[in-house]
Amino acid sequence: MMPGLSVVCSAVIVLFGAVCSVFIFCEYLIYYAAILQCGWPGIDHGAPAAEKSAYGQPNAEVLRAMMLSDTHLLGAVGGHWFDKLRREWQMERAFQTALALLRPEVVFILGDVFDEGKWSSPKNWEEDVCRFQKMFRHPSDTELVVLVGNHDIGFHYEMDWFKLQRFEKAFNTTSTRMVTKKGVNFLLVNSVALHGDGCPICQSVEKQLYTLSRNLNCSLLQLLQWFKPRLVLSGHTHSGCQVLHDNRYTEISVPSFNWRNRNNPSFILGSFSPSGYGLSKCFLPEESTVIALYCSTGASLLLLPLVHCLWIRGLLRCLNFCPISKHKSL
């Protein structure tokens, strides 16, 4: 093999290896790098001091719950194929990495699973549900609980029984239900039906809530007073914020899990016991970081051949103009 050809082959191999390394890091390893920085919080709200556990070391009686929201899987109407492919790959890798590293016992998705559920045709709906099930697959020892959002069935004035029941059938859920794990009660509510204007779905949800409140020996005043929750978790806003209702009830909004809505998606890790809880936020990789890595790699690959050519040209020029000693024969 000619020396020049050998140099070219070596350069190609090095460049190919560099591209593959950056791709593997940006599409796989970066999620591990981000989520490895997360950990389960200790119980620091409500529980007696004797029951509080050290950060990252919840005891066996503590329930480990992961909360995320607003996945907004794009539909067939307004979703560009590349945007859909890219966002769903990001969410799938983030979710699967979080399951592998953190191993939550239950995962709550707080509504707006789909972006176009409110107007999806039956065929498109089935395709969207299948994609969701693939992306958010989970082991049998992790329970996945999905709540309905306005993009899944429409805003209050768009909501109807067909779309609601279609969602409930797909995710084996209802507008109001109680999930109890390790002595901790989670009340799940379809907030789209809480307008209190007497619509048929609203009346049905209110009736179910009243039945649950009676079973829990609560009085019928309003939703917070019925159940006296220690914590309220909600989605919809795409941002994380905290509100204190009546100086008693803390509500925390869970940010969007989709890079289409935020440069820095995140989810919440919660440690719960019958008497207390602790929360921590886990940030996913920033999309701007991934884009910067790809752009810098591309720029470097474009500059390397130019630098190489300039170096060769400079070398040849030096050889042509540098004085060479000549020896005369005697």
Side-chain angles (χ1 to χ4, degrees), residues 176-229:
T176 303
R177 58 184 289 212
M178 186 76 75
V179 173
T180 303
K181 298 185 76 67
K182 289 189 173 181
V184 181
N185 295 321
F186 295 91
L187 175 64
L188 314 179
V189 182
N190 172 11
S191 61
V192 185
L194 293 181
H195 281 242
D197 60 356
C199 75
I201 296 179
C202 298
Q203 290 180 349
S204 175
V205 169
E206 290 170 3
K207 183 178 180 180
Q208 294 174 49
L209 286 172
Y210 177 73
T211 301
L212 285 173
S213 69
R214 286 200 310 174
N215 293 339
L216 293 174
N217 297 318
C218 297
S219 60
L220 179 59
L221 294 175
Q222 46 156 297
L223 184 58
L224 292 177
Q225 294 177 341
W226 284 355
F227 297 95
K228 296 181 172 59

Side-chain angles (χ1 to χ4, degrees), residues 101-118:
L101 295 179
L102 300 171
R103 302 196 62 82
E105 297 167 88
V106 60
V107 178
F108 294 97
I109 300 183
L110 306 182
D112 281 354
V113 177
F114 305 109
D115 195 58
E116 301 177 1
K118 55 188 176 183

Side-chain angles (χ1 to χ4, degrees), residues 8-24 297 301 304:
V8 171
C9 290
S10 299
V12 170
I13 292 173
V14 170
L15 293 178
F16 181 75
V19 171
C20 290
S21 299
V22 172
F23 177 81
I24 292 172
T297 301
L301 294 179
L304 280 177

